[in-house]
Amino acid sequence: MVKKFLEYLEYEKKYSPHTILAYRKDIMDFICFCKEEFNQCYEDVSYSQIRSWIVQLTSGKLTNRSINRKLSSLKTFFNYLVKIGEVTKSPMMKHRSLKEQKKISIPFNEKEINEVIDIIKTKVGFEGVRDRLILELLYSTGIRRAELINIKTKDLYFEEGVLKIIGKGNKERFVVLLPFVIETIKVYQLERKMLKEIKDKDYLLLTKKGVKMYETLVYRIINSYFRRVSTKVKKSPHVLRHAFATHLINRGASLFSVKELLGHSSLASTQVYTNSSLEELKQVYNKTHPREFD
């Protein structure tokens, strides 16, 4: 039944392979727990047994956010079982998510990004131009890391100045390609043609071995450049996405416009970037205000 559920996520819900693997792990962990603790199949569990699993997860020092993700997987699984008539009702019906501590991620500021751009412009050859293109695409469009590595050459529309992105849930959207990014893409494509072998020809971004880029390599590239100029704890591609959204909002872009550019399904997801802006303003205020009235 788990196999059929995962196929449902893949073919009907259009979830990414990474997401499907996470669902599989969460559900198999719960099934193993039921067998070990209660010698019981998942079809017969009650919410009290699910609560026992929550207690075990909590004692394992998992964050409430991680636990909520696992329980969300379980809820989706039981809803699927109800849908196909495998069970009459979901034991997760009355479940309420655990409270999560809100964390505000501080994006890279414009000075840090400009400093990295100055560094990366000095790099030559295939990898140097590719790294520059990765940075420019992430910062100028706000796309996700997974979306970046899945860009295909056919998704580029130079005349229209746009790039087609396949986002979460297999949803398509178009993002603007600024003239300087188009120029970098063209320079990169010339360098790309000089590779000895190209195995993944459909994909835009490749490793020097001619295969499709992978997520950990993108992370290492971004981290390696930003650790030279930034003291922020997180130096990941996602922080560049934060920077893209925050800088647009700081310069007057509407939340709705940023929502569309980011590919968010709800405005609530976009509102976190206003919190980032406020947090950065607080830090500037605390560092610079004279406090003459103390």
Side-chain angles (χ1 to χ4, degrees):
M1 194 54 62
V2 175
K3 184 180 178 182
K4 289 183 179 179
F5 170 66
L6 297 176
E7 289 173 351
Y8 161 76
L9 295 182
E10 181 178 1
Y11 298 113
E12 290 194 37
K13 303 296 285 184
K14 306 295 184 183
Y15 285 178
S16 69
H18 178 77
T19 302
I20 292 169
L21 281 174
Y23 269 87
R24 184 184 184 281
K25 185 181 185 308
D26 295 340
I27 291 162
M28 293 308 298
D29 284 350
F30 176 71
I31 290 173
C32 289
F33 172 80
C34 290
K35 287 181 179 178
E36 290 173 4
E37 295 295 321
F38 305 107
N39 193 28
Q40 200 166 14
C41 294
Y42 61 85
E43 299 98 325
D44 304 318
V45 299
S46 64
Y47 186 64
S48 63
Q49 290 160 329
I50 293 171
R51 283 189 63 84
S52 298
W53 189 46
I54 295 172
V55 171
Q56 186 191 73
L57 292 173
T58 305
S59 64
K61 296 182 179 179
L62 282 178
T63 64
N64 284 4
R65 183 176 183 179
S66 296
I67 295 171
N68 281 338
R69 194 210 73 213
K70 289 179 175 291
L71 294 169
S72 176
S73 299
L74 199 60
K75 184 176 182 179
T76 304
F77 178 55
F78 277 112
N79 286 343
Y80 169 76
L81 295 180
V82 172
K83 181 179 180 179
I84 64 171
E86 189 71 17
V87 297
T88 56
K89 64 178 182 178
S90 169
M92 296 288 290
M93 285 177 61
K94 296 181 179 179
H95 173 72
R96 295 291 179 271
S97 297
L98 304 179
K99 288 184 178 180
E100 297 180 21
Q101 184 177 359
K102 291 184 179 180
K103 291 184 178 180
I104 297 176
S105 178
I106 305 300
F108 298 124
N109 57 45
E110 292 182 37
K111 179 175 179 291
E112 290 169 331
I113 288 172
N114 287 331
E115 287 177 353
V116 168
I117 289 172
D118 288 340
I119 293 170
I120 214 165
K121 277 182 178 178
T122 65
K123 304 293 179 182
V124 295
F126 169 76
E127 288 185 311
V129 178
R130 181 205 62 196
D131 293 355
R132 177 179 170 184
L133 178 57
I134 287 171
L135 172 65
E136 289 182 358
L137 281 170
L138 288 172
Y139 179 57
S140 69
T141 66
I143 58 176
R144 301 175 178 92
R145 177 170 43 169
E147 294 169 345
L148 174 83
I149 65 173
N150 284 306
I151 294 172
K152 295 184 177 180
T153 52
K154 67 178 183 180
D155 299 329
L156 297 165
Y157 298 87
F158 289 140
E159 288 187 12
E160 295 84 355
V162 295
L163 168 66
K164 184 173 76 174
I165 294 296
I166 309 299
K168 288 186 176 181
N170 218 28
K171 293 179 182 177
E172 290 185 5
R173 73 181 188 278
F174 286 90
V175 296
V176 176
L177 284 175
L178 296 173
F180 73 89
V181 180
I182 291 176
E183 186 60 33
T184 303
I185 291 173
K186 290 179 177 179
V187 174
Y188 165 76
Q189 287 178 324
L190 292 174
E191 293 285 350
R192 187 179 184 269
K193 287 179 181 178
M194 295 174 68
L195 291 175
K196 290 182 179 179
E197 183 181 9
I198 298 179
K199 296 176 182 177
D200 295 325
K201 294 181 181 180
D202 291 341
Y203 292 94
L204 176 66
L205 293 167
L206 304 175
T207 71
K208 63 182 179 181
K209 294 181 179 179
V211 298
K212 176 187 172 185
M213 287 286 288
Y214 49 96
E215 292 196 13
T216 52
L217 179 55
V218 176
Y219 172 83
R220 290 204 302 266
I221 289 168
I222 295 303
N223 184 272
S224 67
Y225 284 106
F226 277 93
R227 69 187 177 195
R228 305 185 199 184
V229 303
S230 177
T231 58
K232 290 181 173 64
V233 176
K234 289 187 177 180
K235 305 176 186 68
S236 68
H238 193 71
V239 180
L240 272 174
R241 182 169 161 87
H242 269 252
F244 165 81
T246 304
H247 296 172
L248 285 179
I249 292 168
N250 286 347
R251 290 174 177 267
S254 69
L255 273 179
F256 181 79
S257 299
V258 175
K259 167 187 171 292
E260 295 300 308
L261 290 169
L262 292 173
H264 283 159
S265 56
S266 71
L267 201 60
S269 300
T270 315
Q271 285 173 330
V272 67
Y273 300 111
T274 61
N275 293 335
S276 299
S277 301
L278 288 170
E279 189 65 23
E280 189 163 24
L281 284 173
K282 286 179 186 176
Q283 290 188 1
V284 171
Y285 176 85
N286 289 331
K287 286 181 181 178
T288 60
H289 195 282
R291 298 183 180 86
E292 293 177 356
F293 49 79
D294 284 354

